[in-house]
Amino acid sequence: MVDVTITNDRPDRVAVASQWQLIWWAFKRHKLAMAAMVVTVAMYIVAIFPGFFAINDPILQNARTTFYPPQRVHLIDTTNGFEIGLHYYPTKLTRDPETLAAIYVEDKAQKKVPIQFFGRGYTYTVLGLFESNIHLLASSDPSKPLFLFGADRLGRDVYSRTVQGAQVSLSIGLVGVILSLLLGIILGGISGYYGGRIDFVLQRVIDFVLSLPTIPIWLAMAAALPQGWPATLQYMMITIILSFTGWAQLARVVRGRFLSLRTEEFVAAARLDGVSEGRIIFRHMLPSFSSHVIASVTLAVPAMILAETSLSFLGLGLQPPTISWGVLLREAQNIRSIATAPWLFMPGLAVVVAVMALNLFGDGLRDAADPYNK
Amino acid sequence: MLKFIVKRLFWMIPSLFAVSFLAFVLIQLPPGDFVTTYIATLASSNEVIDQNTAAQLRERFGLDQPMLFQYLKWIWGIISRGDFGMSFEWQQPVSGLIWERMALTLVLALASLIATWAIALPIGVYSAVKKYSIGDYAFTAFTFFGLSIPSFLLALVLMYVAAVEFGADVGGLFSQEYETASWSIGKMYDLLTHIWLPVAILAVSSTASLIRVMRANMLDELPKPYVTTARAKGLSEFRLLVKYPLRIALNPFISTIAWLLPNLISGSVVVAIVLNLPTAAPLLLQSLMAQDMYLAGAFVLLICALTLIGSLISDILLALVDPRIRLE
């Protein structure tokens, strides 16, 4: 058994380090979790500035690029001499002689289109504060757009839409979890600490909420939401609905830990010393199960992302023209469109990567969060 | 112990009532009622209903009465004679529509539950005991993958692979010739050859979360002094594991039944819609969309009752397994 123990070169530093210092040292040893943290942070940066990372306007429709396949990006150009630089070639439309399906072939006879870093593109707003048209990657010829992940049914750029969707999909998880966590810790803590009648009543409430199958509730609530509501209001409502069912699980975990900690010696000792109940809960008991709370919270953020994705996919969550990963995956709903355009799964890949990174990150935190228990 | 069980059973009754009332309220929540939807449907095919006929329809279905009265009428029918009311859309009693679909839903949920437990328990323990071994990393990778992929996406990808690579249709729970046939050995076998795919899809995500729970619980127990004591006594590693830390780590594991069941059922709703399974889910979706409230209400009520029973079983098991948890 190899543990992530704190084997610092200087034991004197370990002796005086704060709890969070110890957690950070332990966390740093978990390579996978560190990598996941980098990915998570990167994804949230993309979610804050989606316009900068997008290439084409995500809502721009183009009848001529319907189901346009992903384009190849080249790095080395040997047509005349040897040049290095990202570029791509315009494509030529041909048709399958039997099925008449559209086939796009790279047309190397035409001039290559270089890709510019920090080039100019369509105009977007950053968090609604100011406008910009600088993009990380930009095609130098706007009349021949670049489709990294291909285009959808209406000829919109799947890559730019996936990047734009990160904003809604990633933030909905965070906002929802903060709300759930507050409710979960307060109610679960009260339930587990006091026990007896309060516990019994709260347990029934938690049972009740947990026994609610979420999908039908969502269905009913989505049907009750007026169609004409603005996107932000819809977003808030869906976040609230998500935490309406999300808090109960956290409360259950907290209650379980409280129940078993209640009988521990250090709690009895604190009580005999005349420590106030609030202080016993927050100072003595809460730190002992913070690792559990962290594990549950990190499971809750991606779970919320998955819930939003599933519900938007079913057509009950966010509605177009709002762009979220779930809304994008609705395009991949039937077998015929994914058979012609498998690249419509790309937003699904984004979901998998985001959720996996968050899970790995949380798991590393969980292992590191209890630095004394070694 | 018996007192605890009886008391817990007694408390099921108000929970069931609360759940049924909530189901009823939720179904009533959307603006408009069935008749409004019905008129809208007719209007789209250029048929017009005048106000009098609409009012007559409302009266016939009791839609003009206060909500509480409608609810009481509904719940009394269920308790006294198992009558869940009429389905407006199908023009036949709800009880005739739901049972086979509910049975298939239960079969699917139980099969997934058993598969989940059977896979998750040994892997979770192994992962904790051999922490940071190659096996642990492999299983951890699997759990992260399983937790990260939405079940509908997995279903879609599998359908895509089956359709494009093998030219096979994997939707449904029965082959065509058995779809409307009555139950027989052949149909049972046919069900078995179809059910493994949705069970596998559902088990992937729930197994992943259970492995994590089990591993976390075991990791909490393994460094405790009683484990060292047992090891010092000379117990074999296997007996030591099974005898002490496993039993304690099972405690939170058992309480997962209560949320695993609604999760499986909620997950199966999406998977069933994607794979077009003849379970409760597609019909529930359809009935909610059409505001067919007695049908939707019956489904929601039965699904909630199912999960309440799951919670009851987990509470009783928890008290049986862990003598430290004495609720009184």
Side-chain angles (χ1 to χ4, degrees), chain A residues 1-4 30 32 196 199-200 203-204 207-208 210-217 219-221 223-225 244 249 252 255 257 259-260 262-264 291-292 295 298-299 302 306 309-311 313-316 326 329 332-335 338-340 342 345 348-349 351-353 355-357 359-363 366-367 370 373-374, chain B residues 7-8 11 15 18-20 22 26-27 29-31 128-132 137 140-141 143-145 147-153 156-157 159-160 163-164 209 212-213 215-217 219-224 252 255-256 258-259 262-263 265-267 269-270 273-274 284-285 288-289 291 300 303-304 307-308 311 314-315 324-327:
Chain A
M1 243 167 53
V2 187
D3 271 10
V4 186
H30 208 315
L32 203 57
D199 179 41
F200 193 76
Q203 264 302 96
R204 296 289 78 75
D207 273 350
F208 183 69
L210 280 179
S211 67
L212 301 175
T214 47
I215 301 281
I217 291 178
L219 248 169
M221 286 188 167
L225 289 183
F244 173 72
Q249 285 188 18
R252 226 169 210 240
R255 171 185 174 268
R257 298 314 294 180
L259 270 184
S260 52
R262 201 164 56 149
T263 50
E264 293 280 333
S291 66
H292 282 264
T298 44
L299 270 178
L306 286 182
T309 310
S310 301
L311 287 152
F313 171 78
L314 275 187
L316 321 166
L329 281 169
Q333 213 162 21
N334 60 65
I335 195 88
I338 51 177
T340 40
F345 278 134
L349 193 68
V351 175
V352 174
V353 170
V355 172
M356 201 182 277
N359 275 333
L360 283 167
F361 177 38
D363 204 51
R366 188 208 162 269
D367 283 354
D370 213 351
N373 194 12
K374 296 291 175 222
Chain B
K7 237 180 152 170
R8 188 65 187 73
W11 270 98
S15 303
V19 140
S20 69
L22 188 97
L26 274 177
I27 292 152
L29 210 58
V129 173
K130 304 266 185 222
K131 195 181 175 193
Y132 301 133
Y137 277 123
T140 307
T143 61
F144 283 118
F145 173 75
L147 279 176
S148 314
I149 188 160
S151 48
F152 70 86
L153 192 66
L156 269 177
V157 171
M159 256 171 81
Y160 170 76
V164 174
S209 55
R212 274 175 69 102
V213 170
R215 182 174 180 273
N217 295 343
L219 282 181
D220 278 348
E221 293 304 322
L222 284 176
K224 293 217 169 142
S255 62
T256 57
W259 59 261
N263 265 11
I265 288 174
S266 251
V269 168
V270 191
I273 289 167
V274 173
L284 172 66
L285 184 94
L288 276 168
M289 296 275 190
Q291 288 259 320
V300 173
I303 288 171
C304 288
T307 51
L308 274 181
S311 167
S314 102
D315 271 11
R324 289 177 307 173
I325 295 190
R326 289 280 173 251
L327 292 165

Side-chain angles (χ1 to χ4, degrees), chain A residues 323-334:
Chain A
I323 301 175
S324 81
W325 289 336
V327 173
L328 293 181
L329 281 169
R330 275 171 84 176
E331 295 283 333
Q333 213 162 21
N334 60 65

Side-chain angles (χ1 to χ4, degrees), chain B residues 4-13 312 316:
Chain B
F4 167 70
I5 294 174
V6 171
K7 237 180 152 170
R8 188 65 187 73
L9 271 174
F10 174 77
W11 270 98
M12 280 286 282
I13 299 167
L312 170 78
I316 292 174

Side-chain angles (χ1 to χ4, degrees), chain A residues 93-108:
Chain A
L93 174 69
T94 54
R95 292 214 177 258
D96 188 297
E98 272 176 47
T99 60
L100 293 180
I103 300 173
Y104 291 92
V105 191
E106 251 181 8
D107 188 6
K108 293 218 172 180

